[in-house]
Structures are given as C-alpha cells and as structure tokens.
Amino acid sequence: MALSISKSKFLAGLQCELLLWTHYNARDRIPDPGPAQQFIFDTGHLVGDLAKRLYPGGIEIRRDRPDGRPDIPATVAETARLLPQRKPLFEASFLADGRYVRVDILVPADGEAWDLYEVKSSTQVKDVNLWDVAYQYDCLTRAGVELDRLFLMHLNNTYVRRGGLDVQALFAAEDVTTEARERAPLVPGLFDRFARVIAGDEPTVDIGPHCTSPYTCPLRDRCWAGLPEHPVTEFHRVGKKAFAWMAEGMATMAEVPADRLSAVQRVQQDAASSGQARFDAAAVRSWLDSLEYPLWHLDFETMAPAIPLFDGTRPYQRIPFQFSLHVQDTPGAEPRHIEYLATEPVDPRPGLLEALRAIGPDGTVLAFNKTFEMGVLDELARDFPAHAAMCADLNSRMKDLADIFRRFQVYHPDQKGRYSLKNVLPAWTDLAYDDLEIADGQAAARAFLQAVFPEAAGLDPASVNEAGKAKVLADLRAYCGLDTLAMVKLMEVLRREAQ
Ligand code: SF4
C-alpha cells in the first residue's frame, strides 16, 4: 500500500523522527493513551462539536468502518461528492500525494474558494498549530481545493459566561493565512524526509528537550529508562544544560564539576553522592518558630472546565470543589479533620466558602505551595465579594510548608530533585500516594468533572451511575485528606529532626 502521512504523524515527525518511525514500524511500543490523554481528547471533541454550532446547515462527513475506526477512502470520496454543494463541511477529508488530512471545518468563501478552520481546545495559538495548518494547506492545494483564508479557532479566554452559553463569543478565530502559507513551501521537503525515515532503519535520536515539547512524547518512559541513577536531568532547574552535559559525556550528577553547579544543585550532588539527606536544623527551627497555633493545614482541589459552567466564569477558570483541613491546636497534638466536597452538579464555590468558615480567627494557615491556595482564595474573593474579608484574612495568615523544601534546606536524595508533596512525603515518611486511585491534582480534577459534570468532560451522562460516582467521591476524599495529613506528618519530621 502506498505510504500516507496523516497530519498527526507529520507533527510527530517534526517533534522527533524516532517517534515518527515508531508509529509506522513498531506501533506496539506506543502505549495506549492513559486517562489524562483521553481526557484531553474528550475535551477536544467537546470543543470541536461546539464550534460546529457556529455553522448551522453544515454537513458532517465522517464515515466509519464497522470497527468504529474512520473509513478514510469512504470519507475522502464523500468529501469529493459534497464539495460542489458549497455548504460548510465538518471533517472533510483529503488524500493527495501521500498527504492525508481531515479538516475540522471548511466554509465556502468567494467564488470557488474555501476558508479553512482548525479548531483547538486551547486558548491561544501555538507554533505547532501553524505547522498543522500549513500541512493542511499543502494537502488541500494538491487535492485541487482553492483556499482563501486559514484560521485557527480556539477558546476565547476573555469570554465570561452570563446565562446560556454564547458559542459565538466563546470562540476566537485567528487568521493565520500569512504564517501558514509562509511555512507551506517547507512541507514537501519535510514530507520527503519523513517518508525516507519511515522506510529506513530505526533512527538513533538522543533524548532532549524535544521529548516534552511541544507534547510529552508517549515514548518518554521507554527512551529515558536507560538513564543511570541520579542522572544530570535530575538537577534542579537544569533545563537544556542537562543534555549539553550528557553530550559532553557526563551522565550522572556526580560527574559534573561542582563549579558548574548552583548552590542548590551542589546540595543535590552531595546528597546523591553520599546517600545522606540534608537537614538545616537552624533554618527549620527559625521557620517553625514563625508559626502560630492552632495550625490549619489546608489544601484545595480545583477543576478547570474548558467550557465555563457557571455565571461569571471563563474557559479553563479554576473552580475549587473540595478542601481538606487538618487542625492541630498545639505542636504534636492529635489533629482534627474537617473537609468539604461538592457532590451535586451546581456551582461548588458558595458551599465551599461557607465550609471554610470552620477556620478560626487565630493561628497560621499552612499550605504546601501556598501560591496555589492564595490564588484560589483571591479568585473566590473577586467572584464572591461577601466572602472577600474572610479570604483576605486567611491569605494574610498563610505560610508555606514547601518553602523549606524549595530552598533545599531540607532535601533527601530520594526526592530526585523535586519538592512536590508527592516526592517529599515518601522520602521523609512511610506514607505515599501509591495505593490511591486518585494520586494527583489533575486526576482529581478530571475524576470530579467526569463524575459530577460528565457532559462538561465530553462524556455521555448515562455513562455515570450512582455507585461509580460514590466511588469517585470516596477516592477524592482519600486523596485530598492525604494531602493535609501529609503536611501534619512532615511537620512531625521537621520538629523531631530540628531538636
Ligand atoms: S522520548 Fe524523546 S527521543 Fe524518544 S521518541 Fe520521544 S521525543 Fe524521541
């Protein structure tokens, strides 16, 4: 069968030729999309379907095979049949000179020309999107389609929902005709090169910044598995320098001369070489002395629906739906646990704000990475002015447990250069997130949206039953509860070791 390179494979080739080769020659090495990736796909479909509402009377072209996969020849043939009708077309498909593309929306323009719209669920145009449109332009031009203007349509982050969804205002269409046409002449050369890569032996490609940009590569775990223990990529804020050092033959932290490292990176190097943690007892004592009891260990969980669900909110605005609070009246005292979790498909913020009043007027509010909690409280104050004084008070009393770890005043080599709660907790205590169904904030946001607002997650509401929802809510309680219990346990470690 003649080679055809779809738009997504062309973009994969731009990111990495090994990734491209693997798609065609060793597909089984590429893991199926996990829940996070699937959620992104579902959001994309949701946004794509909404964009179609802007063109009433448009014709959906996709044809599927009996196994549910797209029937490319049938869709291409149907596209050719429908083009003369001069109506907006959704998912029109073209195969020309080995290029295969499916266009989100084609709209009749003047004369025989068409305007092309590529719909993205993001809120801004990225460089890779311009290549996306350039490839479509190259393919459609070869297929004999006259294109007038080329647009990237994305969510408008200045849109604020008031009442029903205003689909017109929800989207922003950026005319990228000039930028995409400028790139289009480069496409044939790249296409030919990619065709040779696909037909050739497995290419050798070093790991590098391209493994995570513009997308996290699905082969990352596989390609990065060969790194030694404590590799140079583990250095704090090392960026591209790590790959330059690797090119010089330095693979481990220990191999990099100390005079090329920052103070924090030297702490890491010492810890990795000796296997010993760093604990700056004086700094910890001074920080502990700045706290006032009762100590309110606070953690929020938020979701960020692409399509605003509530009045006054924008695309991807973070909406807190849960908090956990462990309260300790005196150092070492048994903590009390207070929590809030929204369970119904209504705006969770009013209920959460009322529940936050459980935090008394005295004592320090402790967060781990307080920028996040303070930001959430600032946004709540903005959107619910009646609670602004409480939010301001909580923020004025907030301290950050992560500071000690962020400054590497306390550092364990098992943290592997990171200081998130997920890395710090197992390094310093016998607690970890491994056994939890929900083990990070993004998974929590996803699970909540899918269980409580399934349509906003691009799911069929019938796919969520009460038992499934109850299980998700229980998992969310376990996860958020551990976030603040983790802080209590870390405080115990700090107090003990600082004595
Ligand atoms: S992990 Fe990096 S080197 Fe490996 S295929 Fe992906 S982008 Fe290429």
Side-chain angles (χ1 to χ4, degrees):
M1 202 175 93
L3 171 77
S4 87
I5 300 181
S6 68
K7 186 185 73 174
S8 63
K9 301 299 183 294
F10 178 80
L11 298 178
L14 286 178
Q15 178 164 358
C16 174
E17 294 185 354
L18 174 57
L19 174 61
L20 174 71
W21 183 91
T22 307
H23 268 295
Y24 285 84
N25 296 286
R27 182 72 186 78
D28 56 324
R29 291 185 194 165
I30 299 179
D32 289 336
Q37 194 59 38
Q38 191 57 50
F39 181 74
I40 292 170
F41 292 156
D42 292 342
T43 302
H45 293 145
L46 177 74
V47 171
D49 286 345
L50 274 172
K52 291 173 188 170
R53 285 202 214 160
L54 295 170
Y55 302 96
I59 304 172
E60 186 82 44
I61 299 189
R62 180 179 170 133
R63 297 285 178 272
D64 286 341
R65 300 189 315 204
D67 64 2
R69 295 165 66 91
D71 185 333
I72 294 174
T75 314
V76 170
E78 186 65 356
T79 300
R81 191 181 74 76
L82 289 169
L83 278 171
Q85 293 192 15
R86 307 287 301 158
K87 293 206 172 132
L89 300 176
F90 306 140
E91 305 204 28
S93 298
F94 301 88
L95 192 52
D97 297 341
R99 288 97 164 132
Y100 168 66
V101 305
R102 209 165 60 203
V103 182
D104 287 336
I105 302 174
L106 265 185
V107 180
D110 290 343
E112 293 298 306
W114 296 80
D115 288 338
L116 178 150
Y117 290 80
E118 169 67 22
V119 182
K120 296 293 176 200
S121 54
S122 57
T123 57
Q124 58 191 8
V125 170
K126 300 176 189 138
D127 186 73
V128 65
N129 303 148
L130 298 172
W131 282 111
D132 181 327
V133 177
Y135 194 67
Q136 297 186 57
Y137 178 81
D138 179 72
C139 175
L140 267 70
T141 305
R142 287 166 186 273
V145 178
E146 186 189 337
L147 287 172
D148 187 0
R149 289 175 303 168
L150 310 169
F151 292 95
L152 273 165
M153 190 188 282
H154 56 81
L155 293 173
N156 170 12
N157 61 5
T158 65
Y159 167 65
V160 179
R161 183 169 186 156
R162 304 273 176 222
L165 200 60
D166 180 347
V167 180
Q168 201 79 43
L170 175 66
F171 286 99
E174 287 194 39
D175 187 334
V176 295
T177 311
T178 306
E179 296 91 327
R181 282 190 182 206
E182 274 170 11
R183 285 170 197 229
L186 300 174
V187 169
L190 289 165
F191 180 90
D192 292 344
R193 194 171 96 204
F194 293 167
R196 286 195 297 276
V197 168
I198 292 166
D201 294 336
E202 180 173 352
T204 302
V205 180
D206 290 336
I207 62 168
H210 55 279
C211 298
T212 48
S213 177
Y215 306 110
T216 298
C217 176
L219 293 171
R220 188 176 185 278
D221 286 350
R222 185 183 178 94
C223 290
W224 288 52
L227 290 179
E229 195 182 14
H230 299 307
V232 288
T233 50
E234 216 172 271
F235 275 127
H236 180 59
R237 295 210 171 139
V238 68
K240 292 179 183 170
K241 229 189 282 177
F243 303 110
W245 287 338
M246 286 167 78
E248 285 182 50
M250 294 180 278
T252 65
M253 286 182 163
E255 291 169 289
V256 183
D259 62 2
R260 293 170 76 173
L261 300 176
S262 68
V264 157
Q265 288 170 340
R266 281 200 291 273
V267 169
Q268 283 184 265
Q269 189 181 53
D270 288 347
S273 302
S274 66
Q276 301 291 312
R278 180 196 195 203
F279 194 96
D280 183 338
V284 172
R285 272 196 299 275
S286 145
W287 182 79
L288 289 172
D289 287 347
S290 73
L291 306 179
E292 289 177 20
Y293 282 74
L295 202 50
W296 309 87
H297 307 75
L298 175 66
D299 181 68
F300 289 123
E301 298 305 327
T302 63
M303 60 173 170
I307 311 301
L309 288 168
F310 314 116
D311 266 11
T313 64
R314 299 163 197 263
Y316 293 111
Q317 179 174 330
R318 60 184 167 189
I319 306 287
F321 59 85
Q322 178 179 21
F323 72 74
S324 175
L325 187 64
H326 272 90
V327 194
Q328 225 171 5
D329 292 324
T330 55
E334 190 61 31
R336 287 175 283 125
H337 188 223
I338 299 166
E339 64 180 350
Y340 175 83
L341 174 61
T343 58
E344 299 306 319
V346 292
D347 190 342
R349 295 172 297 170
L352 179 135
L353 279 161
E354 286 303 329
L356 269 181
R357 295 196 174 276
I359 300 180
D362 303 316
T364 298
V365 180
L366 194 61
F368 200 98
N369 273 332
K370 71 176 183 181
T371 320
F372 178 77
E373 268 68 29
M374 291 180 79
V376 168
L377 285 166
D378 282 339
E379 288 157 15
L380 286 168
R382 179 196 64 201
D383 293 342
F384 298 88
H387 297 273
M390 174 188 70
C391 294
D393 173 54
L394 296 182
N395 271 348
S396 72
R397 292 155 55 197
M398 197 167 296
K399 292 235 189 285
D400 195 346
L401 175 54
D403 279 348
I404 290 287
F405 299 95
R406 188 181 294 111
R407 295 192 287 250
F408 285 68
Q409 289 162 328
V410 173
Y411 178 70
H412 193 292
D414 288 352
Q415 289 174 225
K416 298 186 187 303
R418 293 184 288 247
Y419 48 80
S420 78
L421 209 41
K422 277 57 180 181
N423 295 96
V424 168
L425 186 66
W428 287 95
T429 75
D430 53 6
L431 289 177
Y433 288 79
D434 298 347
D435 296 333
L436 295 182
E437 282 291 326
I438 293 171
D440 64 65
Q442 285 190 347
R446 215 166 48 231
F448 179 78
L449 200 64
Q450 289 171 336
V452 181
F453 297 93
E455 282 173 287
L459 298 182
D460 177 357
S463 68
V464 180
N465 59 35
E466 279 309 309
K469 179 177 169 184
K471 163 93 171 66
V472 168
L473 296 176
D475 290 341
L476 284 166
R477 288 192 179 93
Y479 167 65
C480 193
L482 180 57
D483 269 350
T484 48
L485 180 63
M487 291 161 65
V488 173
K489 295 294 178 194
L490 286 171
M491 287 293 293
E492 282 174 10
V493 172
L494 296 184
R495 287 202 175 281
R496 190 177 63 236
E497 299 289 325
Q499 278 176 1

